[in-house]
Amino acid sequence: MGKQIKKKDAINVSLTDFIDFVNKSGGSKMTKVKQVKYRAPYNPATDFYKALREEIIENHKNNGEKKTLDNLLQKLTDSKKIVNYPTSIDGYKKFWGKKKIEWFDPPFYHWLTGDLDIKINPELGLAFDNKLYVIKLFLKADKISKDKLSQVLSLMESQLRKEAGDEVIFAVLDVKNSKLFENAKGDFTYLPLLEGEAKSFESIWKAI
């Protein structure tokens, strides 16, 4: 499930980077754009939570059990991951609880606004408790703010609803704290703000 629309010579920005930009102020906005523009090309080795995301996804795709997530810990060699991953795995297992979960492919979409191309790419499509959830994982240790939550959910609602269908519930999972934040269907509250911020991001990008 999902549609991929690409624009030639677009400015490709991850959802995480864009939301970080939106929540900065003053000169730190320009600093964030510079960071994104002049960052080295993506390298899986520097993606701290890549192995955990992939383990969770593959586990559900293969109808795995909750306890099998612990197998990842035996494969780790990075000392920082050895310290940090157990908390995330425990948090995800707590969220899983006694739920009987079935996998479906989550939708994704490229939000094209001006010359920006922002990929809206939730990691999980999970069916449980007689409901369908499309979930974006939040794996960082710092607390996710209410504003960031609302902004991510507004974009998922506005860009993915046609792809996902009426029954799906969009949500963000704060993995370490085992908290699932659901969007109210049809809530586009933050969309005007995000459209304005996208224009600002593009303007700064082209000026530096």
Side-chain angles (χ1 to χ4, degrees), residues 22-191:
V22 172
N23 288 276
K24 293 186 180 297
S25 59
S28 60
K29 280 187 175 292
M30 184 177 293
T31 300
K32 179 64 184 181
V33 178
K34 285 182 178 178
Q35 176 197 9
V36 176
K37 185 172 183 177
Y38 298 110
R39 180 190 292 155
Y42 173 77
N43 182 345
T46 62
D47 185 344
F48 187 77
Y49 288 108
K50 181 176 186 291
L52 180 56
R53 289 196 306 270
E54 291 181 345
E55 187 74 16
I56 291 171
I57 291 168
E58 289 305 310
N59 187 301
H60 285 304
K61 281 186 174 180
N62 295 320
N63 295 314
E65 297 180 355
K66 181 171 57 176
K67 63 183 179 182
T68 60
L69 290 174
D70 291 326
N71 295 341
L72 174 61
L73 300 176
Q74 311 306 318
K75 306 173 189 176
L76 299 177
T77 56
D78 183 317
S79 60
K80 291 183 178 179
K81 291 180 182 178
I82 291 171
V83 171
N84 283 279
Y85 270 35
T87 305
S88 298
I89 290 174
D90 287 345
Y92 194 84
K93 286 164 65 179
K94 184 178 178 182
F95 155 73
W96 191 329
K98 296 181 179 179
K99 299 180 183 73
K100 294 182 179 179
I101 295 177
E102 293 184 7
W103 169 268
F104 64 91
D105 291 330
F108 66 87
Y109 204 84
H110 286 266
W111 182 39
L112 299 174
T113 174
D115 287 333
L116 285 193
D117 182 338
I118 301 169
K119 189 176 182 181
I120 316 299
N121 57 337
E123 291 89 354
L124 306 179
L126 305 179
F128 57 86
D129 296 340
N130 296 314
K131 297 177 182 178
L132 302 174
Y133 291 87
V134 168
I135 300 172
K136 183 71 182 169
L137 297 175
F138 179 78
L139 290 158
K140 294 181 180 179
D142 52 323
K143 185 178 180 180
I144 186 169
S145 70
K146 184 178 178 181
D147 279 348
K148 283 189 176 184
L149 274 170
S150 298
Q151 290 155 15
V152 171
L153 290 170
S154 286
L155 279 178
M156 289 171 69
E157 176 70 35
S158 65
Q159 302 303 310
L160 300 178
R161 178 57 68 191
K162 289 182 180 179
E163 297 294 313
D166 290 338
E167 295 182 356
V168 160
I169 298 169
F170 296 117
V172 173
L173 176 62
D174 180 350
V175 174
K176 284 185 169 61
N177 293 302
S178 315
K179 291 185 177 179
L180 187 68
F181 299 91
E182 300 178 14
N183 191 52
K185 186 177 177 183
D187 184 356
F188 306 112
T189 303
Y190 279 79
L191 195 56

